[in-house]
Amino acid sequence: IIMGTKGSTEEESVAMTLTSELVTEANCPVLVIPPRKQEFRVRNIALALGTDDMDSSLALGVLFDIARAFDAKVHILSVLKEGEEPRLNERNQSILEYYFQTLDYHHAFPHNSDIEEGISSYVKQNDINLLAIMPRNHATKSTPSEGRLTKLLTMHAQVPLLTID
Protein backbone atom coordinates (compact mmCIF):
# COMPACT_ATOMS: atom_id res chain seq x y z
CA ILE A 1 0.00 0.00 0.00
CA ILE A 2 1.30 3.48 -0.84
CA MET A 3 -0.28 6.42 0.99
CA GLY A 4 0.33 10.07 1.56
CA THR A 5 -0.13 11.83 4.86
CA LYS A 6 -0.87 15.40 5.82
CA GLY A 7 1.45 15.06 8.78
CA SER A 8 1.04 16.78 12.09
CA THR A 9 2.64 19.86 13.58
CA GLU A 10 4.07 19.97 17.08
CA GLU A 11 1.27 22.30 18.18
CA GLU A 12 -1.44 19.87 17.13
CA SER A 13 -2.53 17.05 19.37
CA VAL A 14 -1.25 13.61 18.55
CA ALA A 15 -4.64 12.67 17.13
CA MET A 16 -4.53 9.58 14.98
CA THR A 17 -4.69 10.19 11.23
CA LEU A 18 -6.18 7.71 8.80
CA THR A 19 -2.70 6.84 7.59
CA SER A 20 -1.27 6.25 11.06
CA GLU A 21 -4.24 4.04 11.88
CA LEU A 22 -3.75 2.02 8.69
CA VAL A 23 -0.04 1.36 9.25
CA THR A 24 -0.71 -0.13 12.69
CA GLU A 25 -3.47 -2.41 11.33
CA ALA A 26 -2.23 -3.45 7.87
CA ASN A 27 -0.89 -6.95 7.36
CA CYS A 28 1.29 -5.90 4.45
CA PRO A 29 4.03 -3.32 3.81
CA VAL A 30 2.84 0.30 3.72
CA LEU A 31 4.87 3.13 2.19
CA VAL A 32 3.91 6.51 3.63
CA ILE A 33 4.94 9.60 1.67
CA PRO A 34 5.19 12.77 3.80
CA PRO A 35 3.73 16.08 2.66
CA ARG A 36 5.67 18.14 0.14
CA LYS A 37 7.95 15.21 -0.79
CA GLN A 38 8.77 15.74 -4.44
CA GLU A 39 11.91 13.69 -4.89
CA PHE A 40 12.40 10.08 -3.89
CA ARG A 41 15.79 8.41 -4.23
CA VAL A 42 16.82 5.54 -2.02
CA ARG A 43 20.51 5.58 -1.13
CA ASN A 44 20.37 5.24 2.66
CA ILE A 45 17.73 3.23 4.50
CA ALA A 46 17.37 3.26 8.28
CA LEU A 47 15.58 0.39 9.99
CA ALA A 48 14.48 1.45 13.48
CA LEU A 49 14.73 -1.67 15.58
CA GLY A 50 14.62 -2.33 19.31
CA THR A 51 17.18 -4.48 21.08
CA ASP A 52 14.80 -7.26 22.21
CA ASP A 53 14.75 -10.66 20.46
CA MET A 54 12.75 -10.60 17.23
CA ASP A 55 9.94 -13.16 16.97
CA SER A 56 9.48 -12.89 13.23
CA SER A 57 12.22 -11.84 10.88
CA LEU A 58 10.48 -12.67 7.60
CA ALA A 59 9.47 -9.02 7.14
CA LEU A 60 13.16 -8.17 6.76
CA GLY A 61 13.06 -9.87 3.36
CA VAL A 62 11.00 -6.96 2.03
CA LEU A 63 13.61 -4.49 3.24
CA PHE A 64 16.42 -6.60 1.77
CA ASP A 65 14.71 -6.64 -1.64
CA ILE A 66 14.29 -2.86 -1.62
CA ALA A 67 17.87 -2.22 -0.47
CA ARG A 68 19.24 -4.60 -3.10
CA ALA A 69 17.10 -3.10 -5.89
CA PHE A 70 18.37 0.42 -5.11
CA ASP A 71 21.89 -0.65 -4.03
CA ALA A 72 21.20 1.26 -0.82
CA LYS A 73 23.16 1.26 2.42
CA VAL A 74 21.17 -0.07 5.39
CA HIS A 75 21.50 1.54 8.82
CA ILE A 76 20.10 -0.66 11.58
CA LEU A 77 19.11 1.92 14.19
CA SER A 78 18.55 1.16 17.88
CA VAL A 79 18.00 4.30 19.95
CA LEU A 80 19.19 3.87 23.54
CA LYS A 81 18.38 5.90 26.62
CA GLU A 82 21.25 7.83 28.20
CA GLY A 83 23.58 5.49 30.07
CA GLU A 84 22.42 2.32 28.26
CA GLU A 85 25.20 0.27 26.74
CA PRO A 86 24.95 -0.85 23.11
CA ARG A 87 24.40 -4.57 22.94
CA LEU A 88 24.07 -6.87 20.00
CA ASN A 89 21.89 -9.73 21.02
CA GLU A 90 23.25 -12.89 19.33
CA ARG A 91 19.93 -14.01 17.86
CA ASN A 92 19.15 -10.62 16.30
CA GLN A 93 22.73 -10.27 15.07
CA SER A 94 22.45 -13.65 13.31
CA ILE A 95 19.14 -12.65 11.71
CA LEU A 96 20.52 -9.29 10.53
CA GLU A 97 23.66 -10.94 9.12
CA TYR A 98 21.53 -13.51 7.31
CA TYR A 99 19.40 -10.87 5.59
CA PHE A 100 21.95 -8.12 5.02
CA GLN A 101 25.32 -9.87 4.68
CA THR A 102 25.53 -9.12 0.96
CA LEU A 103 24.63 -5.44 1.46
CA ASP A 104 26.44 -2.45 2.88
CA TYR A 105 24.96 -2.26 6.40
CA HIS A 106 25.89 -1.32 9.94
CA HIS A 107 24.24 -1.08 13.35
CA ALA A 108 24.08 2.35 15.04
CA PHE A 109 23.20 2.96 18.70
CA PRO A 110 22.56 6.70 19.21
CA HIS A 111 21.51 7.86 22.68
CA ASN A 112 18.38 9.93 23.24
CA SER A 113 15.79 9.86 26.02
CA ASP A 114 13.04 10.37 23.38
CA ILE A 115 13.07 7.53 20.84
CA GLU A 116 11.16 9.46 18.17
CA GLU A 117 13.55 12.41 18.50
CA GLY A 118 16.54 10.03 18.39
CA ILE A 119 15.27 8.45 15.17
CA SER A 120 14.49 11.85 13.59
CA SER A 121 17.92 13.23 14.50
CA TYR A 122 19.68 10.19 13.05
CA VAL A 123 17.64 10.45 9.84
CA LYS A 124 18.64 14.11 9.40
CA GLN A 125 22.31 13.66 10.32
CA ASN A 126 22.88 10.63 8.07
CA ASP A 127 21.05 11.63 4.87
CA ILE A 128 18.50 8.84 5.29
CA ASN A 129 16.10 8.64 2.31
CA LEU A 130 13.77 5.94 3.65
CA LEU A 131 12.90 5.05 7.24
CA ALA A 132 11.66 1.51 7.84
CA ILE A 133 9.91 0.23 10.96
CA MET A 134 8.22 -2.97 12.06
CA PRO A 135 5.00 -1.61 13.60
CA ARG A 136 3.82 -4.75 15.33
CA ASN A 137 5.54 -6.19 18.34
CA HIS A 138 8.37 -8.41 17.07
CA ALA A 139 9.98 -9.05 20.44
CA THR A 140 9.60 -12.38 22.23
CA LYS A 141 9.81 -11.10 25.79
CA SER A 142 8.09 -7.74 25.75
CA THR A 143 4.55 -6.47 26.10
CA PRO A 144 2.75 -5.85 22.78
CA SER A 145 2.99 -2.25 21.65
CA GLU A 146 -0.05 -0.03 21.17
CA GLY A 147 1.73 1.51 18.19
CA ARG A 148 2.33 4.97 19.66
CA LEU A 149 5.82 5.31 18.14
CA THR A 150 4.57 4.07 14.77
CA LYS A 151 1.77 6.65 14.81
CA LEU A 152 4.15 9.46 15.78
CA LEU A 153 6.67 8.53 13.10
CA THR A 154 3.89 8.31 10.52
CA MET A 155 2.61 11.80 11.34
CA HIS A 156 6.02 13.49 11.75
CA ALA A 157 8.23 11.71 9.18
CA GLN A 158 10.26 14.01 6.96
CA VAL A 159 11.27 11.14 4.65
CA PRO A 160 9.16 8.30 3.26
CA LEU A 161 8.32 5.73 5.93
CA LEU A 162 8.07 2.03 5.13
CA THR A 163 6.20 -0.10 7.63
CA ILE A 164 6.95 -3.78 7.20
CA ASP A 165 5.11 -6.62 8.88
Side-chain angles (χ1 to χ4, degrees), residues 29-42:
V30 178
L31 179 61
V32 178
I33 309 298
R36 296 172 294 285
K37 187 69 183 169
Q38 296 185 9
E39 182 182 313
F40 184 59
R41 282 187 242 152
V42 180

Side-chain angles (χ1 to χ4, degrees), residues 11-162:
E11 294 80 35
E12 292 178 20
S13 67
V14 185
M16 197 171 14
T17 65
L18 176 62
T19 304
S20 65
E21 185 176 342
L22 175 75
V23 299
T24 58
E25 298 296 325
N27 290 321
C28 63
V30 178
L31 179 61
V32 178
I33 309 298
R36 296 172 294 285
K37 187 69 183 169
Q38 296 185 9
E39 182 182 313
F40 184 59
R41 282 187 242 152
V42 180
R43 285 184 234 119
N44 288 294
I45 300 170
L47 170 63
L49 191 63
T51 56
D52 294 329
D53 283 351
M54 281 187 276
D55 280 341
S56 172
S57 60
L58 296 177
L60 294 177
V62 171
L63 187 61
F64 169 81
D65 290 341
I66 292 169
R68 186 179 63 188
F70 288 97
D71 194 27
K73 181 175 184 175
V74 177
H75 302 243
I76 309 299
L77 176 60
S78 298
V79 178
L80 304 175
K81 296 190 189 263
E82 295 302 325
E84 279 187 307
E85 291 294 320
R87 64 177 171 87
L88 288 178
N89 141 340
E90 282 185 44
R91 183 173 187 280
N92 285 2
Q93 184 61 30
S94 295
I95 291 168
L96 294 171
E97 286 175 5
Y98 173 79
Y99 278 100
F100 301 120
Q101 67 184 338
T102 60
L103 300 175
D104 183 6
Y105 89 98
H106 77 279
H107 204 141
F109 297 92
H111 286 89
N112 195 309
S113 58
D114 181 313
I115 294 174
E116 181 193 9
E117 184 180 301
I119 292 169
S120 296
S121 294
Y122 188 89
V123 164
K124 288 175 192 167
Q125 294 168 359
N126 292 278
D127 192 30
I128 300 298
N129 312 108
L130 177 66
L131 175 60
I133 56 173
M134 300 170 85
R136 295 208 197 298
N137 182 23
H138 289 274
T140 55
K141 299 175 184 167
S142 65
T143 307
S145 167
E146 293 178 10
R148 182 176 186 279
L149 179 62
T150 300
K151 292 170 191 169
L152 289 171
L153 290 172
T154 301
M155 291 189 291
H156 300 146
Q158 298 301 308
V159 297
L161 174 71
L162 175 67

